[in-house]
């Protein structure tokens, strides 16, 4: 039987992914390559919804793709591409937008959060319709499953509603996607504010560990990570969120269980844990940085790889769009 299809995307909004992006999302993409027919997209159309610099956008898409390859995505085992190179995304989004209620779109809480941050008058219509484009991303590939974090649940719910509504209005066309919940999905918190998530849009630079930054810089950030005034290394997200976060990162990057780590640090101090974690991070990122650099050293080859990915993606996206257009009556 055919493997279930999975779709996921990530925005090229920064010069590097951070540990939250890797441990919360991208790591699972690598694992899903073999169990699923996986489509992974650098979503640059989404990246222009909140203002951007045209001089760096294309390069950021390359850097995003290079990192995805460096952490283990293999173009032989998945389809990796850049969203703007597959015009069907925007084309389907228009159709889906025409069956989305204004009130329905208006209930998306992420828009409320993001537009408030920008000042409501300045927020773009693109930011408002972002979840509709996201639905198009998923439905174009007839994805069965979408790996999502808690923050994306509402958007996936909209994708499901739109798929069902379209199918009811115009005839069976789209697979209704289900959330793929990864139990071990780690939520990584801000090193400076361990009650908030590590986020490129809201964390301070010292709260974030970037995959591509100098490991000496990461070590410094880890050393100054906010913990608590206690001394005991135990895993308790409620009372010791800072230590719990460091243990989560340590465990995920080293493959050692949390219990094993807690036992190993019995009687040792926070300083020992931080020092060793910095070393684990260094060992993890150095080869990723080397591989990322080698992809970026040959932009023509990287662009070719992404063009091939887009061609592969279009082989699925184009027939889906055609079918949807026929159903609509075009
Ligand atoms: P950011 O919040 O830094 O802007 P994005 O919203 O672009 O990150 O997230 C990209 C992917 O990384 C999403 O799938 C999201 O769920 C995941 N992700 C982002 N930050 C974290 C985090 N701190 N912990 C776990 N997963 C995260
Ligand atoms: Na986000």
């Amino acid at each position: 039987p055919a493997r279930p299809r999975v779709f996921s995307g990530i925005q090229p909004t920064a010069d590097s992914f951070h540990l939250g992006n890797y441990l919360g999302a991208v790591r699972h993409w690598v694992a899903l390559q073999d169990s699923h027919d996986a489509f992974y997209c650098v979503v640059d159309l989404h990246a222009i919804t909140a203002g951007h610099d045209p001089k760096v956008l294309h390069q950021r898409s390359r850097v995003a793709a290079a990192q995805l390859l460096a952490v283990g995505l293999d173009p032989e085992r998945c389809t990796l591409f850049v969203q703007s190179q597959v015009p069907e995304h925007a084309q389907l989004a228009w159709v889906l937008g025409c069956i989305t209620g204004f009130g329905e779109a208006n209930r998306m809480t992420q828009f409320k959060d993001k537009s408030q941050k920008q000042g409501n008058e300045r927020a773009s219509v693109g930011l408002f319709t972002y979840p509709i484009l996201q639905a198009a991303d998923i439905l174009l590939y007839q994805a069965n499953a979408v790996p999502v974090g808690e923050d994306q649940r509402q958007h996936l719910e909209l994708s499901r509603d739109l798929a069902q509504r379209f199918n009811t209005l115009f005839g069976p066309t789209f697979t209704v996607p289900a959330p793929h919940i990864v139990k071990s999905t780690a939520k990584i918190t801000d090193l400076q504010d361990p009650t908030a998530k590590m986020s490129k849009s809201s964390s301070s630079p010292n709260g974030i560990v970037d995959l591509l930054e100098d490991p000496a810089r990461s070590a410094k950030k880890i050393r100054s990570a906010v913990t608590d005034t206690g001394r005991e290394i135990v895993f308790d997200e409620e009372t010791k969120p800072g230590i719990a976060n460091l243990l989560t990162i340590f465990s995920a990057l080293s493959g050692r269980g949390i219990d094993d780590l807690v036992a190993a640090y019995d009687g040792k101090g926070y300083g020992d844990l931080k020092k060793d974690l910095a070393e684990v991070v260094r060992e993890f990122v150095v080869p990723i940085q080397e591989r990322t650099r080698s992809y970026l050293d040959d932009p023509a080859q990287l662009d070719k790889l992404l063009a091939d990915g887009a061609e592969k993606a279009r082989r699925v996206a184009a027939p889906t769009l055609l079918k949807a257009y026929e159903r609509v009556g075009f």
Side-chain angles (χ1 to χ4, degrees):
R3 291 174 299 165
R5 188 163 288 155
V6 72
F7 176 91
S8 205
I10 194 156
Q11 288 194 58
T13 46
D15 293 316
S16 171
F17 293 144
H18 55 69
L19 279 182
N21 299 142
Y22 176 72
L23 294 175
V26 171
R27 176 172 61 136
H28 305 298
W29 294 14
V30 178
L32 288 167
Q33 285 183 108
D34 297 313
S35 54
H36 288 67
D37 181 15
F39 285 74
Y40 297 129
C41 186
V42 175
V43 291
D44 57 348
L45 297 180
H46 288 282
I48 67 167
T49 53
H52 74 287
D53 178 356
K55 289 192 288 297
V56 301
L57 183 62
H58 184 70
Q59 182 61 15
R60 279 187 167 172
S61 291
R62 281 191 185 130
V63 175
Q67 285 173 92
L68 293 172
L69 294 162
V71 301
L73 290 193
D74 174 357
E76 300 290 321
R77 285 146 67 209
C78 70
T79 303
L80 173 65
F81 65 103
V82 175
Q83 189 183 27
S84 61
Q85 295 179 14
V86 180
E88 286 82 359
H89 289 250
Q91 293 174 291
L92 182 61
W94 177 259
V95 173
L96 295 178
C98 295
I99 62 163
T100 307
F102 187 85
E104 184 177 32
N106 207 24
R107 282 194 291 277
M108 298 293 125
T109 55
Q110 197 178 82
F111 174 74
K112 286 184 189 141
D113 295 346
K114 288 194 175 175
S115 59
Q116 241 154 37
K117 264 184 221 148
Q118 287 178 37
N120 287 327
E121 279 299 312
R122 288 185 42 218
S124 71
V125 173
L127 186 66
F128 183 70
T129 57
Y130 183 119
I132 300 169
L133 179 58
Q134 207 171 23
D137 298 340
I138 296 164
L139 302 189
L140 264 184
Y141 299 96
Q142 309 284 11
N144 306 96
V146 182
V148 279
E150 224 19 80
D151 53 344
Q152 290 298 325
R153 256 179 188 280
Q154 196 187 27
H155 289 175
L156 184 62
E157 205 46 53
L158 179 70
S159 300
R160 291 168 53 82
D161 289 346
L162 292 177
Q164 273 155 350
R165 190 173 308 153
F166 189 100
N167 291 346
T168 305
L169 285 169
F170 304 116
T173 308
F174 296 117
T175 302
V176 180
H180 177 88
I181 309 287
V182 187
K183 265 214 231 74
S184 63
T185 294
K187 183 175 158 238
I188 305 304
T189 61
D190 186 324
L191 295 184
Q192 290 299 312
D193 174 7
T195 60
K197 77 165 202 170
M198 183 181 286
S199 165
K200 63 186 165 260
S201 47
S202 53
S203 298
S204 70
N206 285 337
I208 294 190
V209 173
D210 277 329
L211 283 188
L212 298 185
E213 75 188 2
D214 180 351
R217 192 174 147 82
S218 306
K220 218 170 135 188
K221 294 178 185 178
I222 291 166
R223 256 198 322 274
S224 60
V226 170
T227 53
D228 55 76
T229 53
R231 330 178 49 110
E232 223 195 330
I233 296 172
V234 292
F235 187 85
D236 185 336
E237 288 171 302
E238 290 297 312
T239 61
K240 288 173 167 287
I243 291 297
N245 188 42
L246 298 181
L247 285 168
T248 299
I249 297 171
F250 200 137
S251 170
L253 294 184
S254 67
R256 291 172 66 182
I258 300 271
D259 292 345
D260 174 32
L261 290 172
V262 168
Y265 283 90
D266 184 30
K268 295 186 182 169
Y270 293 173
D272 301 307
L273 177 70
K274 288 174 164 182
K275 188 164 147 284
D276 294 347
L277 175 58
E279 186 52 25
V280 165
V281 168
R282 196 188 63 78
E283 278 174 21
F284 181 76
V285 299
V286 164
I288 290 173
Q289 293 182 358
E290 281 168 6
R291 287 195 292 271
T292 301
R293 231 175 285 125
S294 78
Y295 283 110
L296 292 173
D297 279 345
D298 193 345
Q301 164 90 22
L302 183 57
D303 287 349
K304 167 80 170 67
L305 187 153
L306 291 171
D308 290 346
E311 203 184 302
K312 232 169 109 187
R314 287 194 83 179
R315 270 183 243 143
V316 178
T320 308
L321 182 76
L322 187 66
K323 187 170 171 192
Y325 267 24
E326 281 172 2
R327 293 285 202 209
V328 166
F330 289 137

